[in-house]
Amino acid sequence: MQPYLAASTYIDFDHPDVAAQARRLAEGAASTHEVVRRCFEFVRDEIRHSVDFMQNPVTCKASDALRHRTGYCYAKSHLLAALLRANGVPTGLCYQRLSVGDTGAPYCLHGLNAVWLDDLGWYRIDARGNKPGVDAQFEPPVERLAFAIREPAERDLPEIWAEPLPCVVQVLETEPDVAAVLRNLPDVPLIG
């Protein structure tokens, strides 16, 4: 579990602001589930999704998403991982491959998290941010993610990553603004 508890460049819970926010969210919590719920709801509800609000700057590091209170799903998942890891909860990064529109190409990755709950094992949560048609919740053992898989070329990718995928980082660190990221969303080819 050590990789899922470690600080890193993008999951930088060793940043003073992230560490302080993690402590505030965990203060007085009676259980790990309560800590996870508080961190999840904070990121889902208090960090604006970049596209929903067309809000710059583009963030990638957890600390930047916290400071600017905005991020694509990827940066929000980095922040949630950082807050949970700071509280000793093993947390990884997961991805779905979804149609950018209603159906068909183009496709893009959607970032979310998997958290280790001792009573359940790995449990996926999606702090993307709710809006009409999107209602992600923390309701273990039921997964209530932002998006369902609707067609054959969409996928729930099974891996749980300790670090963000390079293609995600590359887009977030090179595109100049939210609109440019939206035009160049990361994707991975399907095999088989």
Side-chain angles (χ1 to χ4, degrees):
M1 285 294 176
Q2 191 54 42
Y4 302 102
L5 290 166
S8 68
T9 299
Y10 302 103
I11 303 173
D12 58 341
F13 68 79
D14 49 354
H15 187 285
D17 295 342
V18 178
Q21 184 65 51
R23 281 192 302 277
R24 283 192 292 275
L25 289 166
E27 188 175 335
S31 68
T32 299
H33 279 235
E34 189 173 348
V35 170
V36 174
R37 178 183 308 284
R38 288 178 182 183
C39 292
F40 166 76
E41 290 178 353
F42 172 78
V43 175
R44 184 193 66 191
D45 300 341
E46 301 299 324
I47 308 300
R48 292 177 161 193
H49 190 281
S50 297
V51 172
D52 292 352
F53 295 89
M54 290 310 288
Q55 184 173 344
N56 286 302
V58 175
T59 57
C60 188
K61 289 183 176 182
S63 58
D64 290 340
L66 179 62
R67 178 173 59 249
H68 297 290
R69 292 290 210 252
T70 190
Y72 270 87
C73 56
Y74 320 110
K76 291 182 71 156
S77 71
H78 303 166
L79 176 57
L80 182 54
L83 295 170
L84 291 171
R85 288 181 187 185
N87 283 305
V89 180
T91 307
L93 305 172
C94 299
Y95 299 94
Q96 292 176 312
R97 183 178 194 256
L98 302 172
S99 174
V100 172
D102 288 334
T103 60
Y107 294 90
C108 71
L109 293 178
H110 168 61
L112 57 147
N113 297 89
V115 59
W116 180 264
L117 300 174
D118 286 338
D119 56 329
L120 291 175
W122 287 110
Y123 172 77
R124 293 184 308 164
I125 51 179
D126 190 342
R128 179 235 178 265
N130 289 342
K131 64 179 187 172
V134 175
D135 185 27
Q137 302 293 329
F138 177 73
E139 294 180 351
V142 177
E143 288 184 348
R144 297 258 323 262
L145 305 178
F147 302 108
I149 301 303
R150 302 167 300 173
E151 60 173 86
E154 292 186 331
R155 295 280 194 292
D156 278 319
L157 302 179
E159 298 85 2
I160 300 172
W161 300 89
E163 292 296 321
L165 291 178
C167 65
V168 168
V169 170
Q170 191 271 331
V171 167
L172 295 178
E173 290 196 330
T174 61
E175 296 300 339
D177 56 37
V178 168
V181 173
L182 188 57
R183 289 189 302 271
N184 295 290
L185 291 168
D187 190 15
V188 293
L190 293 180
I191 298 171

